[in-house]
Amino acid sequence: MKKWILAAGLCCNMAFADVAVVVHPSNGDSLDKATITRLFLNKAKAFPSGTQAEPVALDEGQPATDEFNGKVLNKTASQLTAFWSKLVFTGKGQPPKTLGTDAEVIAEVASNPGAIGFVDSGAVNDSVRVVATF
């Protein structure tokens, strides 16, 4: 019984892992939740400094994606799908580029001064700068 409780506890902790929002190390902007939300929902196209922003997301179904969508964007996967379908259909925007793993997002952000992405906080390394954790 104790093993089952421990396993359930570990499983639940994995589902609530922190999500780190990362940018290129040269990006000195301070970003709050509202600014990050605006960047990822195509409501802002540049960082506060004026640098063009290029959001990068993890593929749908990743635990960090679900956490980010809920905690930062306040949307479910189906709500985001409807949101982006409308913007694409009307020609008003494209969803962020999606990548399959935390390592791919980190590599993309580390190689692009305008990129902003999110990953599981445990995947962060010194090639990117964390601007927020949720």
Side-chain angles (χ1 to χ4, degrees), residues 16-22 64 102 106 118-125 130 132-134:
F16 298 104
D18 284 339
V19 175
V21 178
V22 295
D102 291 331
I106 289 172
F118 63 86
V119 295
D120 183 287
S121 61
V124 174
N125 61 38
V130 176
T133 304
F134 299 97

Side-chain angles (χ1 to χ4, degrees), residues 1 5 7 13 15 23 30 34-35 37 46 77 84 87 89 91-92 97 100 103-104 109 114 116 118-120 130:
M1 182 68 162
I5 293 171
N13 285 340
V23 296
S30 294
T35 303
T37 299
W84 285 114
L87 283 185
F89 181 75
K92 294 182 179 176
K97 176 180 181 179
E104 289 174 348
V109 171
I116 180 171
F118 63 86
V119 295
D120 183 287
V130 176

Side-chain angles (χ1 to χ4, degrees), residues 19 59-71 75 77 118:
V19 175
D59 283 337
E60 195 174 306
Q62 299 279 347
T65 302
D66 294 338
E67 288 293 308
F68 181 81
N69 292 347
K71 290 180 177 178
K75 294 190 182 297
F118 63 86

Side-chain angles (χ1 to χ4, degrees), residues 22-26 103 105-111 123-130:
V22 295
V23 296
H24 191 272
S26 68
V105 171
I106 289 172
E108 177 73 19
V109 171
S111 68
V124 174
N125 61 38
D126 61 2
S127 69
V128 293
R129 183 173 75 89
V130 176

Side-chain angles (χ1 to χ4, degrees), residues 25-97:
S26 68
N27 184 331
D29 287 311
S30 294
L31 304 174
D32 60 11
K33 181 180 175 183
T35 303
I36 293 166
T37 299
R38 290 176 51 76
L39 289 170
F40 275 90
L41 292 179
N42 202 41
K43 294 178 181 177
K45 305 221 186 268
F47 292 104
S49 64
T51 302
Q52 186 72 24
E54 298 176 38
V56 180
L58 281 168
D59 283 337
E60 195 174 306
Q62 299 279 347
T65 302
D66 294 338
E67 288 293 308
F68 181 81
N69 292 347
K71 290 180 177 178
V72 181
L73 304 181
N74 297 318
K75 294 190 182 297
T76 64
S78 60
Q79 287 172 324
L80 272 176
T81 299
F83 173 83
W84 285 114
S85 293
K86 180 179 176 184
L87 283 185
V88 170
F89 181 75
T90 59
K92 294 182 179 176
Q94 291 291 320
K97 176 180 181 179

